[in-house]
C-alpha cells in the first residue's frame, strides 16, 4: 500500500507495514512489533501528548505555524467581529450557524435557565470568606451533579443536551455568586431581560443603585468569551474528555476540566502576565527586564504557545479590544508597558528565532483589570466561555464510536518482585 509506513526492527530483522490514516499510525499497530514471543510489543512514550492524537474532532481547527484558529470552519476573526457568544456557542455545539428563529429559541433557552437552586447559596455560604472563586466554582460544579441525578444518563442525547443548556446558563450565575461571596456582598439574581454578558456583569457589580451594563463593556466581554469558547485538545479539554470517558455526569467531568484550568500553566496565565507587568512597573524598565529574560533570571509571561508558532490570532483581536474598553474606563497604564515589551520582543532575534509571539493571555489580564475584575476572578472568566467548548467536546466524544475509557500505559521503573520483611527485622 502507498499510504503506509514500513518499519524494520533491527533487533529481529523483521519488517512491518503500518497503514497511515489522516497522517497518523495507530499506536496499537506497534504492538505487533516484538523482540520475541514473550515480548509485550512496542508502545509509544509521549508525556504531555506532544505528538499523540487522542481523538477525532470536527469542532476546532488550529494551524499553529500559520496562526489560524477556526470554529467549525469559521475564522475566529470573523466570529469575533460579527457573531455573539451565544450564537458562536450554538455553532460550536451544532456545527452550523443558526437561523434567526433557531438563534432566538436558543437565546431564550439559555436565558431562562440561569437561575440556580436556592441550596446552591447555602453551599457557597459554607466557604471561608477568602476562598478562591475558582475553588468555589469547581466545588459547586461537582455538587450540582447531586441536584440533577438524571444527568448520569449520558447515553441519552436529549438528556445530554438538557444538561448542556443548564450548564451554559448557570455557570455565569455560579461564577458571579462566587465573586459576591468573596467580596461579602449579597447575591444578585439573574436578569432575563439582559444579554448573556450583560446579565453576568449585573450579577457581578450590582450595588444599591440599579445597574445598567455599559454597551461597550458588554460587547468587549462578549468578544472575549467568543475568543475563549474552545481551543482544541488543551489541558482542560483533555481532562473533560478523559474524565467523561468513564461515562460520569457532565457536572463532575466539568469540575475536572475546571480544576485543570485552575492551574497557573493554563487558566492562570493572564494573571501571571499582569503580575509581570506590575513587576516591570514602567515602560522605561522594559529593556532591563528583557535583558534579565535572556539571562534566564526571570520568565517572559504571555509570549509563546504550545500550539502557535506564529502570532496568536486571538492576541491581535484582544489588543484592539483593549482600546475600546479604555474609552469607557480610562487608559490602563499597564498597556504602555505591554506595548513596549511587545515591540522590543518582536524586533529581537532572541525571541523571533524562538517563535515567541504574544498569545491571548498577554492582553486579556489588562482588559479584565480595567473592567474592575479582581485578579482571582481571571481563571473564572476563562471557565465561563470555555464551558461550551468542554461540553461540545464531551458531547462529540459520546457520539464517537472510537471512544473508550481513557487508560494510558506506563513505563514501569520500580523494583522487581521482592519479599515482605517484618518491621522488627528491617534495618
Amino acid at each position: 500500500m502507498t499510504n503506509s509506513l514500513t518499519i524494520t526492527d533491527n533487533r529481529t530483522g523483521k519488517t512491518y507495514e503500518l497503514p497511515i490514516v489522516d497522517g497518523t499510525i495507530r499506536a496499537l499497530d506497534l504492538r505487533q512489533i516484538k523482540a520475541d514471543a514473550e515480548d509485550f510489543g512496542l508502545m509509544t512514550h509521549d508525556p504531555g501528548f506532544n505528538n499523540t492524537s487522542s481523538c477525532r474532532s470536527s469542532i476546532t481547527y488550529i494551524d499553529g505555524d500559520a496562526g489560524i484558529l477556526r470554529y467549525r470552519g469559521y475564522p475566529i476573526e470573523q466570529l469575533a467581529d460579527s457573531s455573539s457568544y451565544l450564537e458562536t456557542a450554538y455553532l460550536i455545539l451544532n456545527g452550523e450557524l443558526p437561523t434567526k428563529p433557531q438563534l432566538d429559541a436558543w437565546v431564550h433557552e439559555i436565558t431562562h435557565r440561569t437561575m440556580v437552586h436556592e441550596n446552591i447559596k447555602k453551599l457557597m455560604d459554607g466557604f471561608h470568606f477568602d476562598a478562591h472563586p475558582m475553588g468555589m466554582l469547581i466545588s459547586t460544579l461537582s455538587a450540582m451533579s447531586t441536584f440533577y441525578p438524571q444527568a448520569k444518563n449520558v447515553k441519552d442525547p436529549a438528556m445530554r443536551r438538557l444538561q448542556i443548556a443548564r450548564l451554559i446558563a448557570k455557570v455565569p450565575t455560579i461564577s458571579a455568586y462566587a465573586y459576591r461571596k468573596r467580596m461579602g456582598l449579597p447575591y444578585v439574581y439573574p436578569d432575563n431581560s439582559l444579554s448573556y454578558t450583560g446579565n453576568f456583569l449585573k450579577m457581578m457589580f450590582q450595588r444599591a443603585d440599579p445597574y445598567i451594563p455599559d454597551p461597550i463593556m458588554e460587547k468587549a466581554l462578549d468578544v472575549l468569551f467568543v475568543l475563549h469558547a474552545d481551543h482544541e485538545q488543551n489541558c482542560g479539554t483533555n481532562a473533560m474528555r478523559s474524565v467523561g470517558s468513564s461515562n460520569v455526569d457532565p457536572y463532575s467531568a466539568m469540575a475536572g476540566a475546571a480544576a485543570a484550568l485552575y492551574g497557573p500553566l493554563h487558566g492562570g496565565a493572564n494573571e501571571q502576565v499582569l503580575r509581570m507587568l506590575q513587576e516591570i512597573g514602567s515602560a522605561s524598565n522594559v529593556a532591563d527586564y528583557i535583558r534579565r529574560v535572556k539571562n534566564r533570571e526571570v520568565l517572559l509571561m504571555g509570549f509563546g504557545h504550545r500550539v502557535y508558532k506564529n502570532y496568536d490570532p486571538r492576541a491581535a483581536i484582544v489588543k484592539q479590544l483593549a482600546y475600546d474598553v479604555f474609552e469607557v474606563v480610562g487608559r490602563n497604564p499597564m498597556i504602555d508597558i505591554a506595548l513596549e515589551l511587545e515591540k522590543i520582543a518582536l524586533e529581537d532575534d532572541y525571541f523571533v528565532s524562538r517563535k515567541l509571539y504574544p498569545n491571548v493571555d498577554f492582553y486579556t489580564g489588562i482588559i479584565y483589570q480595567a473592567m474592575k475584575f479582581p485578579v482571582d476572578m481571571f481563571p473564572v472568566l476563562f471557565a465561563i466561555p470555555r464551558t461550551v467548548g468542554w461540553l461540545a467536546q464531551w458531547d462529540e466524544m459520546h457520539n464517537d464510536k472510537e471512544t473508550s475509557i481513557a487508560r494510558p500505559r506506563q513505563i514501569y521503573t520500580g523494583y522487581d518482585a521482592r519479599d515482605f520483611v517484618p518491621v522488627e527485622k528491617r534495618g
Side-chain angles (χ1 to χ4, degrees):
M1 67 180 77
T2 55
N3 290 328
S4 65
L5 175 69
T6 300
I7 297 177
T8 299
D9 187 347
N10 293 325
R11 299 171 301 175
T12 63
K14 291 184 179 179
T15 297
Y16 304 85
E17 189 173 13
L18 309 183
I20 298 174
V21 180
D22 296 327
T24 68
I25 60 170
R26 293 180 70 251
L28 280 177
D29 285 345
L30 296 172
R31 288 275 293 277
Q32 64 185 296
I33 304 175
K34 302 182 178 184
D36 53 55
E38 301 300 320
D39 189 2
F40 179 79
L42 281 187
M43 297 189 302
T44 58
H45 181 58
D46 189 11
F49 300 105
N50 285 283
N51 195 42
T52 297
S53 166
S54 61
C55 66
R56 299 177 188 273
S57 180
S58 61
I59 299 171
T60 298
Y61 172 78
I62 298 174
D63 184 335
D65 291 332
I68 292 173
L69 170 62
R70 301 181 190 133
Y71 299 155
R72 301 289 191 179
Y74 292 95
I76 192 64
E77 295 86 353
Q78 293 181 18
L79 294 172
D81 181 64
S82 304
S83 186
S84 68
Y85 174 70
L86 284 183
E87 183 180 45
T88 299
Y90 184 99
L91 167 69
I92 289 172
L93 284 167
N94 298 285
E96 299 294 341
L97 287 168
T99 62
K100 184 63 166 62
Q102 288 173 332
L103 180 59
D104 290 343
W106 170 245
V107 171
H108 183 273
E109 181 179 9
I110 298 302
T111 301
H112 289 80
R113 292 189 185 279
T114 51
M115 292 289 290
V116 297
H117 197 287
E118 283 292 284
N119 283 348
I120 292 291
K121 293 195 300 185
K122 295 180 181 179
L123 173 72
M124 301 193 86
D125 282 341
F127 289 105
H128 203 252
F129 74 92
D130 61 351
H132 196 290
M134 196 64 175
M136 286 190 269
L137 174 63
I138 293 166
S139 300
T140 306
L141 282 171
S142 181
M144 282 181 71
S145 67
T146 65
F147 288 80
Y148 304 106
Q150 71 274 28
K152 66 180 180 293
N153 300 321
V154 296
K155 293 304 178 184
D156 181 348
M159 185 58 66
R160 291 203 305 270
R161 283 297 164 133
L162 174 58
Q163 309 314 317
I164 287 171
R166 280 175 172 163
L167 275 161
I168 293 172
K170 297 179 192 305
V171 164
T173 307
I174 297 168
S175 301
Y177 280 15
Y179 166 78
R180 305 286 292 197
K181 167 65 179 179
R182 183 81 163 79
M183 301 300 292
L185 297 169
Y187 304 121
V188 176
Y189 289 123
D191 185 342
N192 292 346
S193 69
L194 297 175
S195 71
Y196 189 80
T197 50
N199 176 47
F200 174 64
L201 287 170
K202 179 177 180 178
M203 289 189 293
M204 285 280 297
F205 298 124
Q206 172 79 59
R207 296 297 189 267
D209 298 326
Y211 180 88
I212 301 174
D214 185 283
I216 294 177
M217 304 281 276
E218 193 175 354
K219 175 62 177 177
L221 190 59
D222 201 71
V223 172
L224 287 169
F225 279 9
V226 169
L227 298 179
H228 286 95
D230 192 56
H231 206 244
E232 205 225 49
Q233 303 308 310
N234 53 78
C235 181
T237 301
N238 177 65
M240 184 76 183
R241 281 181 173 263
S242 183
V243 176
S245 72
S246 71
N247 287 345
V248 73
D249 66 89
Y251 301 93
S252 299
M254 238 186 82
L261 188 69
Y262 195 3
L265 296 182
H266 194 3
N270 50 23
E271 177 183 346
Q272 300 302 315
V273 172
L274 195 61
R275 296 194 187 282
M276 176 190 70
L277 296 176
Q278 290 170 339
E279 179 185 348
I280 294 172
S282 168
S284 62
N285 297 330
V286 168
D288 183 64
Y289 193 85
I290 291 288
R291 178 191 59 77
R292 294 170 63 201
V293 170
K294 292 180 180 180
N295 291 337
R296 302 191 176 183
E297 299 172 18
V298 292
L299 295 176
L300 181 64
M301 308 304 299
F303 279 73
H305 195 278
R306 174 77 168 266
V307 175
Y308 294 111
K309 304 307 175 189
N310 201 321
Y311 204 103
D312 185 335
R314 301 168 299 172
I317 299 169
V318 174
K319 182 179 178 180
Q320 179 55 49
L321 197 63
Y323 292 99
D324 296 336
V325 172
F326 295 161
E327 289 182 8
V328 178
V329 300
R331 186 181 180 88
N332 186 337
M334 292 292 175
I335 192 69
D336 297 319
I337 304 173
L339 289 171
E340 182 66 16
L341 189 63
E342 179 184 16
K343 177 178 179 293
I344 293 177
L346 292 182
E347 293 174 352
D348 193 310
D349 185 63
Y350 178 89
F351 301 100
V352 174
S353 64
R354 290 167 172 78
K355 298 184 178 180
L356 296 177
Y357 298 96
N359 58 43
V360 71
D361 297 309
F362 189 63
Y363 287 105
T364 50
I366 299 173
I367 294 177
Y368 288 147
Q369 185 189 51
M371 295 176 75
K372 308 304 181 186
F373 288 107
V375 171
D376 58 10
M377 277 296 291
F378 288 4
V380 177
L381 292 167
F382 198 151
I384 295 171
R386 186 54 57 85
T387 295
V388 69
W390 287 334
L391 291 168
Q393 299 272 350
W394 172 79
D395 189 58
E396 183 181 62
M397 176 192 70
H398 282 293
N399 287 318
D400 188 347
K401 294 180 180 179
E402 288 186 327
T403 296
S404 61
I405 187 169
R407 205 300 186 188
R409 295 283 181 175
Q410 67 169 19
I411 298 173
Y412 178 68
T413 60
Y415 290 103
D416 287 334
R418 51 182 180 163
D419 293 325
F420 180 83
V421 179
V423 64
E424 61 272 10
K425 295 184 179 181
R426 295 175 200 161

